[in-house]
Amino acid sequence: MKQPRFIEVAEHTHNYLEMIYVVSGVSRQVIGGDRELVMKEGDLMFLRQGTYHSVAPAGYDDISVRFLVLPEFLQYPLGMLTEDTYLRRFILRVIQGTMDAEPYLQFHLQDMPEAQNLLENLIMSIMRRTRNDRRILQATMGVLFLELANRTYKITVGNPTGYEQQLVLKALGYVEANYQTATLEDFCRSVNQPAYYISRLMKKYSPYTFTKYLQRRRLLQAAHLLTETTEPIEQIIVDVGYENSSHFHRLFRGEYHMTPREYRKKYSGEEGEATGPAAR
């Protein structure tokens, strides 16, 4: 559905998931009667069923697209999310019809062209209506979920009292921006909270502890550099924030079940880098 211009959409609720994607301009939403939210171009919102919301009149350049998704449609896309993430938990609650879950999740896709392209593919698939359109739509939705799951720190959680959740997401964003040098102590100083409190929140709201998430982010970056660059492995280890080469190799093997050299050879299509002291 295309958001109508120049008129207000009165407060309403529904029994399906509503996805709102802002193509251009802005979309002003009021959630639950009192929480005003301005979505900008490139923002995507998932509104849980049972959530009351209204929409302010759209201007001439304000164009939004609304996807109305029945919970049962989400079973197949959810099956593609094998990793426990905030998004997976939210979608699972939508399918289960849990009414005490967060009313919405908002993603900021301004620097995620892959996710924006998938949303455009969803729109085109709906308009074309081919013989296998349902499975195509579900598969595209699943790939979109996978893209979004990689950007947990891009979420705004829809809970006016969700200070704890927002603090956890802030911690995830801090790791994403500073993974080379990030430490739990440094983050705690930045938010003026003790380490034991942040550690407890991470265990409560995130599938990873702070240390585990930091380790995973560094290893993901190392895997990316191994396949997308010819940089020596020992330099990659330093670039992602590790000083102890043996420790890195042990962590990498534990995560990917192969050495960094084997990973590069398997996924870059190369025979490996030149031999030498750095080509470990």
Side-chain angles (χ1 to χ4, degrees):
M1 296 179 61
K2 182 179 176 181
Q3 175 67 46
R5 291 171 173 169
F6 314 126
I7 61 172
E8 178 184 10
V9 177
E11 185 175 61
H12 63 284
T13 187
H14 30 67
N15 62 352
Y16 45 75
L17 174 74
E18 182 172 346
M19 289 170 46
I20 304 172
Y21 177 54
V22 181
V23 178
S24 67
V26 298
S27 177
R28 293 176 172 84
Q29 310 277 330
V30 178
I31 312 296
D34 58 359
R35 182 172 176 80
E36 186 174 359
L37 183 69
V38 179
M39 297 177 63
K40 300 178 181 179
E41 180 177 334
D43 281 353
L44 172 68
M45 178 190 289
F46 293 93
L47 268 173
R48 175 181 53 78
Q49 69 267 43
T51 300
Y52 283 89
H53 75 116
S54 59
V55 188
Y60 184 83
D61 295 318
D62 300 331
I63 301 176
S64 300
V65 177
R66 299 162 59 203
F67 301 84
L68 313 180
V69 188
L70 291 174
E72 54 265 31
F73 177 89
L74 297 168
Q75 290 282 3
Y76 182 86
L78 179 68
M80 298 174 67
L81 287 176
T82 57
E83 190 176 10
D84 183 18
T85 63
Y86 219 114
L87 175 61
R88 188 182 191 282
R89 295 180 186 185
F90 179 84
I91 297 299
L92 182 60
R93 288 169 181 155
V94 168
I95 294 174
Q96 294 172 339
T98 305
M99 292 295 107
D100 60 349
E102 293 83 2
Y104 72 85
L105 293 183
Q106 181 183 356
F107 284 87
H108 310 287
L109 310 183
Q110 286 78 12
D111 64 343
M112 295 178 61
E114 300 86 357
Q116 295 186 50
N117 288 340
L118 287 165
L119 284 162
E120 292 174 7
N121 289 341
L122 281 174
I123 295 171
M124 294 303 298
S125 295
I126 291 170
M127 294 175 64
R128 282 198 304 263
R129 288 297 183 185
T130 61
R131 183 166 55 90
N132 297 311
D133 60 344
R134 180 179 176 85
R135 183 51 58 92
I136 292 172
L137 287 169
Q138 287 179 311
T140 306
M141 183 80 77
V143 177
L144 174 64
F145 285 171
L146 290 171
E147 285 288 343
L148 297 178
N150 289 332
R151 301 292 189 100
T152 303
Y153 62 100
K154 288 291 186 180
I155 300 177
T156 297
V157 178
N159 187 347
T161 61
Y163 170 74
E164 292 184 345
Q165 295 99 316
Q166 295 294 349
L167 198 55
V168 169
L169 292 172
K170 189 172 183 178
L172 299 180
Y174 162 79
V175 170
E176 291 291 334
N178 306 279
Y179 62 86
Q180 297 98 329
T181 59
T183 65
L184 176 59
E185 292 73 20
D186 182 61
F187 175 74
C188 290
R189 282 194 297 270
S190 71
V191 295
N192 196 28
Q193 293 291 349
Y196 74 84
Y197 177 65
I198 298 300
S199 297
R200 179 170 62 82
L201 292 186
M202 291 290 288
K203 291 179 181 178
K204 181 178 180 182
Y205 294 106
S206 169
Y208 303 104
T209 63
F210 184 95
T211 301
K212 182 65 177 178
Y213 189 82
L214 175 59
Q215 172 187 305
R216 182 173 179 271
R217 179 64 183 89
R218 287 174 170 175
L219 293 177
L220 283 171
Q221 183 65 17
H224 169 75
L225 293 174
L226 285 168
T227 57
E228 299 300 323
T229 74
T230 59
E231 191 174 2
I233 293 174
E234 291 300 321
Q235 185 58 48
I236 289 175
I237 294 173
V238 175
D239 289 347
V240 300
Y242 286 104
E243 297 178 357
N244 188 315
S245 177
S246 298
H247 180 57
F248 171 82
H249 278 267
R250 185 167 62 253
L251 293 176
F252 194 93
R253 183 183 284 274
E255 181 74 17
Y256 296 106
H257 310 292
M258 64 183 77
T259 68
R261 184 176 178 82
E262 291 168 342
Y263 187 93
R264 169 170 275 176
K265 183 176 180 180
K266 180 175 181 179
Y267 292 108
S268 68
E270 300 176 358
E271 290 302 315
E273 58 188 306
T275 58
R280 181 173 177 175

